[in-house]
Structures are given as structure tokens and as C-alpha cells.
């Protein structure tokens, strides 16, 4: 079958790959291990503002700040106080790449693939990340934050924007995500979507993406192309 024709994966007709041009990565829970730190913050926040909602810090995983506020913290005063506290918390968080992620990104770039971070985090958060990871800007050709799009995940807008920035068609891109909302955004965009089993099991993710990856350890450009061509 020539490249550019369609093949069937699950219940989707997906364009068969052309040359891989762009890799679009979620940040938290996909590239960097921050989930436990956010659990601590939101656990304390829930006990202060919403003790009536058990396990709130787990219920909100994979949702955006706007969604969290709309659902659990509608009071504007609460939102202002929580936002200030969250900014302070994120400024002192640890941002460490998952094993294999850094090497994988470097291998993609060596093979001519443009790499972008596509996150619902804001600019102040990303400045904190860059202070801890000095080579961050050299690793990624573009960083898209919440300020760059109006419709947050699970809307596909952020990943479609990533493709447009690199002048790539959707069959020239790949999305890496860990959260349900992010996976839905990737799948809705029509881009080949890889789910990282960093915070969910393979069984929990397998029906939400095109391929489940246990970790980035040992991943290479060649392996990724092989996965996308199966």
C-alpha cells in the first residue's frame, strides 16, 4: 500500500504515514514526573476549600485548571487564592524528565523531527521549568501554553495548532499524552496518538489511543516509525 493511503486501526481510518515531521508532547505526566507533587498540592487545597469532596486530588487528574475551577471551586475568591498558591507551588516544584525521554527527544531531532511541548500550563509555570532545565529551549522547537489557544484539552485545537506551526499535515505528526483529556485531544485531531502508561495501566489506555507505550526507555526514532507503520 503506497504511503498516503488509509489503513484501519481500531475504529479509525488513519492516513498511512508520510515522513515524520513533528512530535508533539504533553508535559506533566508525559515528559516530566510531577503528578505526585500536584497530588500533594490539590490534596491540601481540597481539605481547605472542599472537604466535602473525598479524593478530589485524584478526581481532577488529567483535567485543566479551568475545568477544576468550574467543577469544584466556582467562587472567584477561591480561584484567586488557589491560583496564587498554585503559582508559588509550581515555582518550587521539581521538574525531572522521565527515564529515556531526554534521549528520545535528542534522537528525534537528530533525524530531522521538529519537537514541541503542547501543555495547558501557563507561561509562569514554563519559566519555572526552564530555570530547572537550562537546555529546555534547545530541546524543543516550540512550546505552546494555555495562552496560545482558547479551547483546552480535550478539544483538539492545541495539537492542530502544533501541526500548523510546523506546516505539517496530520499524517506527518505524532502526539504523546498520558491523561484521558489529552488523549482525547490527540485522537480528535486525527493525529497518531501514543499513550504513556505513566499514571494509568496499559489496559486503561488501550482503547483511548493508537498505541500504548510503557515508558520512553529504549525508544528511538526508528522504533517510533515502525510502531506508526504497523
Amino acid at each position: 500500500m503506497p504511503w498516503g493511503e488509509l489503513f484501519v486501526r481500531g475504529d479509525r481510518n488513519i492516513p498511512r504515514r508520510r515522513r515524520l515531521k513533528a512530535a508533539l508532547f504533553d508535559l506533566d505526566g508525559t515528559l516530566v514526573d510531577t503528578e505526585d507533587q500536584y497530588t500533594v498540592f490539590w490534596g491540601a487545597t481540597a481539605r481547605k476549600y472542599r472537604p466535602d469532596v473525598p479524593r478530589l486530588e485524584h478526581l481532577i487528574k488529567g483535567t485543566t485548571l479551568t475545568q477544576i475551577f468550574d467543577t469544584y471551586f466556582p467562587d472567584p475568591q477561591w480561584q484567586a487564592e488557589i491560583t496564587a498558591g498554585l503559582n508559588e507551588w509550581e515555582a518550587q516544584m521539581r521538574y525531572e524528565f522521565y527515564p529515556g525521554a531526554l534521549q528520545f527527544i535528542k534522537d528525534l531531532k537528530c533525524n530531522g523531527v521538529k519537537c514541541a511541548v503542547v501543555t495547558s500550563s501557563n507561561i509562569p509555570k514554563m519559566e519555572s521549568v526552564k530555570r530547572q532545565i537550562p537546555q529546555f529551549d534547545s530541546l524543543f522547537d516550540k512550546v505552546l501554553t494555555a495562552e496560545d489557544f482558547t479551547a483546552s484539552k480535550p478539544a483538539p485545537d492545541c495539537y492542530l495548532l502544533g501541526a500548523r506551526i510546523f506546516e505539517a499535515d496530520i499524517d506527518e505528526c505524532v502526539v504523546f499524552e498520558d491523561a484521558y483529556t489529552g488523549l482525547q485531544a490527540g485522537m480528535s485531531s486525527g493525529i497518531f496518538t501514543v499513550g504513556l502508561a505513566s499514571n494509568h495501566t496499559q489496559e486503561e489506555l488501550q482503547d483511548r489511543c493508537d498505541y500504548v507505550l510503557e515508558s520512553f526507555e529504549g525508544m528511538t526514532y526508528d522504533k517510533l516509525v515502525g510502531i506508526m507503520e504497523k
Side-chain angles (χ1 to χ4, degrees):
M1 179 184 293
W3 282 22
E5 294 185 11
L6 294 179
F7 72 103
V8 176
R9 180 181 295 276
D11 60 352
R12 293 207 303 165
N13 289 332
I14 301 175
R16 182 166 287 278
R17 305 296 110 190
R18 289 187 278 173
R19 181 180 70 83
L20 180 59
K21 186 182 275 189
L24 311 174
F25 293 88
D26 173 52
L27 182 68
D28 295 286
T30 299
L31 286 177
V32 296
D33 185 3
T34 55
E35 292 303 304
D36 289 346
Q37 297 173 82
Y38 277 117
T39 298
V40 172
F41 173 82
W42 286 110
T45 301
R47 288 189 293 274
K48 179 178 180 180
Y49 295 97
R50 294 301 306 267
D52 57 311
V53 184
R55 293 177 53 81
L56 184 148
E57 64 269 31
H58 299 286
L59 297 175
I60 63 171
K61 286 189 180 298
T63 59
T64 65
L65 185 59
T66 298
Q67 292 165 336
I68 294 169
F69 280 167
D70 289 346
T71 304
Y72 298 106
F73 305 99
D75 186 287
Q77 182 62 35
W78 287 2
Q79 293 180 9
E81 293 171 0
I82 294 170
T83 298
L86 182 59
N87 288 340
E88 292 179 6
W89 184 262
E90 290 178 334
Q92 56 81 46
M93 278 173 51
R94 301 181 312 279
Y95 300 99
E96 299 175 353
F97 282 111
Y98 279 111
L102 185 57
Q103 294 80 1
F104 178 47
I105 293 165
K106 290 180 177 179
D107 189 52
L108 289 174
K109 291 180 70 66
C110 284
N111 282 277
V113 179
K114 298 291 187 180
C115 294
V117 167
V118 182
T119 177
S120 297
S121 297
N122 58 21
I123 291 174
K125 153 76 173 289
M126 295 311 302
E127 292 303 317
S128 297
V129 173
K130 293 176 184 179
R131 281 194 294 271
Q132 287 196 29
I133 307 175
Q135 74 271 37
F136 195 88
D137 281 332
S138 66
L139 291 171
F140 298 100
D141 301 281
K142 187 69 178 179
V143 176
L144 296 177
T145 63
E147 290 84 356
D148 292 308
F149 39 86
T150 54
S152 298
K153 303 170 187 178
D157 303 44
C158 57
Y159 285 118
L160 293 172
L161 175 60
R164 287 199 301 273
I165 284 173
F166 293 129
E167 298 182 346
D169 293 331
I170 60 172
D171 62 327
E172 297 174 308
C173 301
V174 60
V175 164
F176 293 91
E177 271 282 0
D178 73 297
Y180 291 160
T181 52
L183 293 169
Q184 184 178 338
M187 295 290 279
S188 297
S189 73
I191 297 172
F192 190 98
T193 301
V194 177
L196 269 295
S198 49
N199 295 293
H200 297 284
T201 65
Q202 181 172 347
E203 290 71 26
E204 290 171 331
L205 296 183
Q206 62 187 6
D207 294 329
R208 297 174 181 268
C209 57
D210 295 304
Y211 187 86
V212 179
L213 191 63
E214 290 294 333
S215 78
F216 286 119
E217 291 188 274
M219 271 300 295
T220 65
Y221 166 83
D222 289 335
K223 288 182 180 179
L224 174 61
V225 171
I227 288 168
M228 295 173 69
E229 283 301 320
K230 287 181 178 179

